[in-house]
Amino acid sequence: MIRITVALLIVCAAAAVAALAPDLRIVAVLVGGLAAVLVSATGAPDDRSHSPQPAAAATPVSEQAVIDAIAEPVLLVVDGRVRIANAAARALLGGHVIGEDVRLAIRHPAAAERLGAGGADGATELIGLGGRDQRVEMQVATIAPGRRLVHLIDRTTSHAAERARVDFVANSSHELRTPLAAIIGFIETLDDEKAGADAEVRNRFLSVMMKEARRMQRLIDDLISLSRIEAEKYRLPEMPVALGRLVEEVAADLRDSDEAARADLTLDLAPDVPMVAGDAAQLAQVLHNLVGNALKYGKRGTPVTIALRRDGDTLIRLSVTDQGEGIAAEHLPRLTERFYRVDPGRSRAQGGTGLGLAIVKHIVERHRGRLDIASAPGVGTTVSILLPPAAHPAILPTAAPDAVTIVSPN
Ligand code: ADP
């Protein structure tokens, strides 16, 4: 009875640790699990007669079974040697680790001290374990004299996400500060009586200030779009959208407002294309961004074609093709990164924010679609989005980072 009470207390303590410190959850689960092993394996018959247990609770559970049930790599180390390594640990470190000195099994300079005799329990970051860019957090906990659990948590993705967030904040601030600094500089100059009094200088400065203010406005609009799209990322758009009609509306808008669009924009719309389940405003934004890029980076006087057609039985392909300079192969994989530009000076001079394709990618992912970028230097670029028709919303089930396909002839 006492043993059961002690074990229950351990399980409760483990649950409390799990609630308070999410990072220690696995260790808490393990300690709880091992306490259960202790009860089921050693509980005396007279204990059971006083408080009958359900059959399932009395089934003995081995340490091996508890550790094997955990998806992340976990090792049980007894007197400095690996006694148990679950499948994930064997996949990461190799099947040979059983019986090895744990410092050889986890061959990493930062791990050696904590894993050695007398090493303290706690967490250590291991950079490069299992791959050059891999980041693994090693948690070591003593569970009984001479017995330690080593839990290896892959932090690569969360670290990369944190890096991307920090870079994004730094880049956004930099992009906003540049036009702001120009505007403040011109205001200060105009404030000087002599420069401000000259009508020609004043008008020239005001027009530059307006250009810079508009640049800030475009950037802020794109930043707001991006955060709205990200906030809705898991809400599947549901309204039926006729892409052919949407293309015609966007083309008419562009022809009204842009001289190059009036001259170069051509449509190639197949008649039998089914509707998609989508968000019409966001799909219009995709078209504006792609056609805007084709006009900016295409060659004046050559066609920019928006084509719409079925792609096999299950997809609809909407593509924008230009006959501009194209994009060199090494840039293609990075084009959908925020603020990535092949030629920053040219992008800025054309009013680009560096966020257009990042916005397109997020919208396409929200629609469970795919983005294809195909380009050949000297020939031109085709950017396509592939969407499932409304009747088949689950054809591309997940929005994953590999939802972008890069096609380069090189
Ligand atoms: P930007 O506002 O700079 O145009 P985007 O995210 O829309 O930002 O595009 C990123 C970069 O990709 C652009 O700066 C440009 O270098 C390149 N790019 C995009 N579309 C094309 C295209 N059709 N032809 C050539 N380069 C392109």
Side-chain angles (χ1 to χ4, degrees), residues 101-336:
D101 184 315
V102 65
R103 286 166 302 180
L104 289 179
I106 304 176
R107 203 185 283 263
H108 192 288
E113 192 183 327
R114 194 175 289 287
L115 293 172
D121 286 358
T124 306
E125 190 176 39
L126 309 179
I127 300 170
L129 184 75
R132 206 161 62 88
D133 300 323
Q134 255 351 57
R135 278 176 177 257
V136 173
E137 181 184 325
M138 179 183 74
Q139 292 267 7
V140 179
T142 301
I143 53 169
R147 293 171 100 79
R148 303 177 90 190
L149 272 176
V150 180
H151 176 204
L152 300 166
I153 309 152
D154 190 348
R155 299 279 188 218
T156 314
T157 314
S158 56
H159 183 263
E162 178 57 13
R163 255 311 287 273
R165 194 190 63 75
V166 170
D167 286 353
F168 178 56
V169 172
N171 285 335
S172 308
S173 316
H174 175 75
E175 294 282 341
L176 285 167
R177 202 175 51 183
T178 311
L180 188 61
I183 293 169
I184 290 172
F186 282 114
I187 291 173
E188 280 168 357
T189 315
L190 283 177
D191 203 28
D192 171 54
E193 253 175 55
K194 236 166 65 195
D198 183 329
E200 198 216 308
V201 171
R202 202 175 55 232
N203 287 343
R204 194 151 41 86
F205 282 14
L206 281 173
S207 106
V208 180
M209 285 162 65
M210 182 55 104
K211 204 171 121 216
E212 296 296 331
R214 292 242 185 274
R215 184 168 143 198
M216 284 183 78
Q217 191 179 35
R218 273 195 305 277
L219 190 60
I220 289 165
D221 287 348
D222 275 359
L223 287 170
I224 290 172
S225 286
L226 208 51
S227 77
R228 282 211 187 112
I229 297 158
E230 279 193 313
E232 295 184 319
K233 145 165 153 182
Y234 297 109
R235 211 161 51 79
L236 208 60
E238 291 172 340
M239 293 304 285
V241 179
L243 284 175
R245 198 167 326 133
L246 191 75
V247 169
E248 280 163 350
E249 282 167 17
V250 170
D253 261 9
L254 285 162
R255 284 180 179 130
D256 280 350
S257 61
D258 187 310
E259 195 193 318
R262 214 160 22 248
D264 297 341
L265 201 53
T266 59
L267 307 188
D268 174 11
L269 310 177
D272 60 340
V273 177
M275 298 226 195
V276 298
D279 179 321
Q282 288 189 351
L283 292 171
Q285 190 172 7
V286 165
L287 273 167
H288 271 282
N289 289 4
L290 297 185
V291 176
N293 279 352
L295 293 168
K296 269 190 298 194
Y297 306 110
K299 206 185 295 164
R300 273 306 283 273
T302 59
V304 164
T305 307
I306 310 179
L308 177 69
R309 59 178 168 78
R310 282 169 171 274
D311 190 291
D313 290 337
T314 52
L315 292 175
I316 295 164
R317 178 181 285 267
L318 177 61
S319 53
V320 178
T321 301
D322 66 66
Q323 297 178 7
E325 286 162 28
I327 307 162
E330 70 263 28
H331 296 292
L332 291 175
R334 300 198 57 191
L335 291 183
T336 55

